[in-house]
């Protein structure tokens, strides 16, 4: 069985480093993007099983990146996108889903919460 490939898009370097290291320990292959524009380009070049996207990033936020990714899919393979935000509200969740994201996790989140969401959307069990 191949390791699920995860793309983490977040403008905070410390978050990218922690997520990359934590997810690799759980058995995922992880690439990181500094913003939504970079993430949208990377998805064209590499097949990811799940994308974790901060909704507030410079150059292109998670909402716009999601719309670009969905447009590029053209009804082909649908890559699950999980929105990450510090705004734990019904409005933030609705905005994520309206933009085309599949799920939403509010910050701060635990690694167990993140792992459960990735397992749900990647179709792969979490390795502890």
């Amino acid at each position: 069985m191949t390791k699920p490939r995860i793309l983490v898009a977040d403008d905070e370097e410390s978050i990218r480093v922690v997520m990359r290291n934590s997810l690799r320990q759980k058995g995922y292959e992880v690439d990181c993007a500094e913003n939504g524009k970079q993430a949208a380009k990377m998805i064209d070049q590499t097949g990811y099983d799940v994308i974790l996207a901060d909704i507030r990033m410079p150059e292109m936020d998670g909402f716009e990146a999601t719309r670009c990714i969905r447009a590029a899919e053209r009804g082909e393979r649908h890559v699950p996108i999980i929105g990450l935000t510090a705004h734990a509200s019904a409005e933030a969740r609705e905005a994520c889903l309206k933009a085309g994201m599949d799920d939403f996790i509010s910050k701060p989140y635990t690694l167990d919460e993140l792992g459960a969401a990735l397992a749900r959307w990647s179709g792969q069990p979490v390795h502890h």
Side-chain angles (χ1 to χ4, degrees):
M1 179 177 359
T2 61
K3 293 180 180 183
R5 287 188 70 93
I6 309 299
L7 175 60
V8 175
D10 199 299
D11 59 316
E12 292 289 328
E13 183 178 6
S14 60
I15 291 173
R16 290 192 310 269
V17 169
V18 168
M19 289 184 76
R20 180 177 48 236
N21 293 339
S22 299
L23 294 174
R24 284 181 177 165
Q25 287 176 357
K26 288 192 173 281
Y28 295 101
E29 283 200 31
V30 182
D31 291 328
C32 294
E34 296 177 9
N35 57 56
K37 189 174 184 179
Q38 189 178 48
K41 285 181 182 176
M42 291 173 73
I43 194 73
D44 279 343
Q45 300 164 0
T46 306
Y48 291 100
D49 296 297
V50 179
I51 299 169
L52 297 169
D54 186 15
I55 63 170
R56 303 274 183 247
M57 294 181 283
E59 291 193 51
M60 181 186 287
D61 66 21
F63 298 126
E64 190 177 348
T66 297
R67 287 189 285 273
C68 287
I69 291 165
R70 294 295 178 236
E73 288 176 339
R74 293 183 207 94
E76 295 173 16
R77 183 177 179 267
H78 177 89
V79 178
I81 300 174
I82 301 171
L84 304 173
T85 179
H87 306 286
S89 67
E91 293 82 14
R93 180 177 181 76
E94 184 62 31
C96 287
L97 298 177
K98 187 175 181 180
M101 294 178 182
D102 300 282
D103 206 345
F104 160 94
I105 298 175
S106 61
K107 297 176 184 177
Y109 45 82
T110 67
L111 286 178
D112 286 341
E113 288 172 314
L114 185 60
L118 288 172
R120 188 168 51 248
W121 290 103
S122 72
Q124 299 286 332
V126 179
H127 303 285
H128 295 283

